[in-house]
Structures are given as C-alpha cells and as structure tokens.
Amino acid sequence: DAMVIQNPRYQVTQFGKPVTLSCSQTLNHNVMYWYQQKSSQAPKLLFHYYDKDFNNEADTPDNFQSRRPNTSFCFLDIRSPGLGDAAMYLCATSRGVSETGEQYFGPGTRLTVT
Amino acid sequence: GQNIDQPTEMTATEGAIVQINCTYQTSGFNGLFWYQQHAGEAPTFLSYNVLDGLEEKGRFSSFLSRSKGYSYLLLKELQMKDSASYLCAAYDSNYQLIWGAGTKLIIKP
C-alpha cells in the first residue's frame, strides 16, 4: 500500500544532542511537510518542500533544519534540542501546493528530550 | 490574523449523535478539512468541503457555510472507537492549511 513512513516512532535524545528524524513516502507526491504537534494543540507547520523547493515558515526556529535528497525521503534535523522541543513530529505529503487535495500523514515520531 | 475556533472538549453517549462545530477566519478560502486523531497517533482524513452544503460519508457528515465561515462535523450512531480528537483545518488563499487545536470527543457507554 502507498503510504507515509516515519522512523523511529519514538526517539529519546539528550538536551543539546543533535537528532535526525526521517520520513519516506511511496505516494510519489510532490510536496512534503514537517509539523510539530504538542499535546492538545494544533499541528504547527515547520517547513515544506515542493519538489526540491524549500519553504521555511517565518517562525520556525533556526535550530530546525530539513533536507530532501530525493522525492521519496525527507529529514528533520534538530541541531540542539531543548526541553521545549519535546513533541510529536508529523510528516505529511500532498500531490501539489496549489491544489485542494488532502494531506496524508505518517504515524509520527514522538521526541523526548532528557 | 487567521484562526480556527472549535470547542476544546465534548462528551456524548454511545449510539447517540454529536455535532462538532468549527468557525474559521482566513485570508481567502480554498476548502475545509476534518481530520480524526486518536491519542498518540497521526491525523487521518475524514472529509473535505469546498462548496456550501452537506457531504455525507457513512456515519460521518460534514457541512459548510462559506458566507458564515462555519462548518460542522456530524457523527451518528456513536461507537466507543470514535473517542478521539477532531481537527478542523482550512486552506487560505495561498493554500496554506490553517489548523484548529482540535475537539476532544469523549464517548461514554
């Protein structure tokens, strides 16, 4: 089945220790998104790629970086995680940006910072 | 600014009907989504409305009034597995998805 896959599902990192979360998709969608979601809050868009075109949200901290080496894979790098970065990180895809299609979500990675 | 308002929490009884309301204020509008999110899991797509009216899909229906900036999700014949958060999200004129914080629905036997 075509899907969005995130690894790992649970990640524990130490304060200040860099961590990378990964996402892959078999849907062949052009757009990939990274969201941060904290408990009982709306998902917060960090950035998205339309193909290789990177779009950073204005309020995304510099501590968060992303890479998309090819259509299928996208990575979220947190350079120096703080306690406030503990959250669920959701990867999503869609066919296009100027289209009204739904976004397809992966299962998420729950990040704990100790 | 842009925002989505929906109730924080609702409680309903198994077998009953519940309506979850959502109001939105966006710069332009290109459709509204409802997603279901179980605790600790990713959101899953339920419905999409871009024209006024009611869209029915099994036990779930979604309604949109663009003139009022209003939508609701109607869940019929509630089951215990419907206990989840329901997120309302709207596309603005730039196709940026504006999310609500979600309504936590608690189903009681």
Side-chain angles (χ1 to χ4, degrees):
Chain A
D1 287 340
M3 56 199 305
V4 182
I5 302 160
Q6 288 187 246
N7 285 304
R9 293 291 309 275
Y10 300 90
Q11 175 74 57
V12 180
T13 191
Q14 293 178 335
F15 183 94
K17 185 175 181 182
V19 65
T20 295
L21 310 181
S22 70
C23 176
S24 63
Q25 54 123 346
T26 60
L27 296 161
N28 204 31
H29 282 172
N30 289 317
V31 191
M32 295 187 78
Y33 307 82
W34 278 107
Y35 287 92
Q36 179 193 65
Q37 187 180 28
K38 297 187 177 181
S39 181
S40 301
Q41 295 184 20
K44 178 182 183 299
L45 183 64
L46 297 173
F47 16 64
H48 74 273
Y49 279 91
Y50 183 85
D51 198 11
K52 290 188 176 181
D53 183 23
F54 177 70
N55 297 271
N56 195 33
E57 293 302 300
D59 57 354
T60 298
D62 293 339
N63 197 25
F64 291 84
Q65 303 286 319
S66 184
R67 297 169 283 136
R68 189 180 185 186
N70 54 52
T71 301
S72 301
F73 286 87
C74 196
F75 300 97
L76 171 62
D77 301 307
I78 308 177
R79 292 192 296 187
S80 183
L83 297 178
D85 297 327
M88 175 76 89
Y89 290 88
L90 298 165
C91 174
T93 72
S94 67
R95 280 186 296 271
V97 173
S98 298
E99 291 183 25
T100 52
E102 69 196 76
Q103 293 184 13
Y104 295 77
F105 284 84
T109 295
R110 180 165 295 283
L111 179 68
T112 300
V113 181
T114 61
Chain B
Q2 305 194 98
N3 71 289
I4 303 273
D5 287 315
Q6 50 181 131
T8 304
E9 188 174 295
M10 299 182 70
T11 303
T13 305
E14 190 177 15
I17 299 173
V18 71
Q19 177 175 311
I20 303 174
N21 295 325
C22 167
T23 57
Y24 62 89
Q25 291 176 307
T26 56
S27 302
F29 178 76
N30 279 303
L32 186 138
F33 294 86
W34 284 96
Y35 280 83
Q36 180 190 59
Q37 187 175 28
H38 285 100
E41 298 182 11
T44 55
F45 171 78
L46 289 177
S47 67
Y48 171 67
N49 295 66
V50 66
L51 300 176
D52 289 350
L54 187 68
E55 296 273 346
E56 297 188 72
K57 201 185 283 189
R59 293 189 298 114
F60 294 7
S61 302
S62 56
F63 171 84
L64 176 68
S65 168
R66 288 174 299 173
S67 62
K68 295 181 180 178
Y70 167 71
S71 173
Y72 67 73
L73 180 70
L74 191 71
L75 294 77
K76 302 177 185 176
E77 301 170 18
L78 286 170
Q79 302 175 8
M80 298 303 292
K81 68 179 182 179
D82 298 329
S83 293
S85 286
Y86 292 85
L87 294 139
C88 175
Y91 269 137
D92 68 8
S93 58
N94 294 320
Y95 292 92
Q96 179 171 353
L97 202 56
I98 310 301
W99 291 85
T103 298
K104 183 178 180 181
L105 178 62
I106 300 167
I107 311 294
K108 295 186 174 180

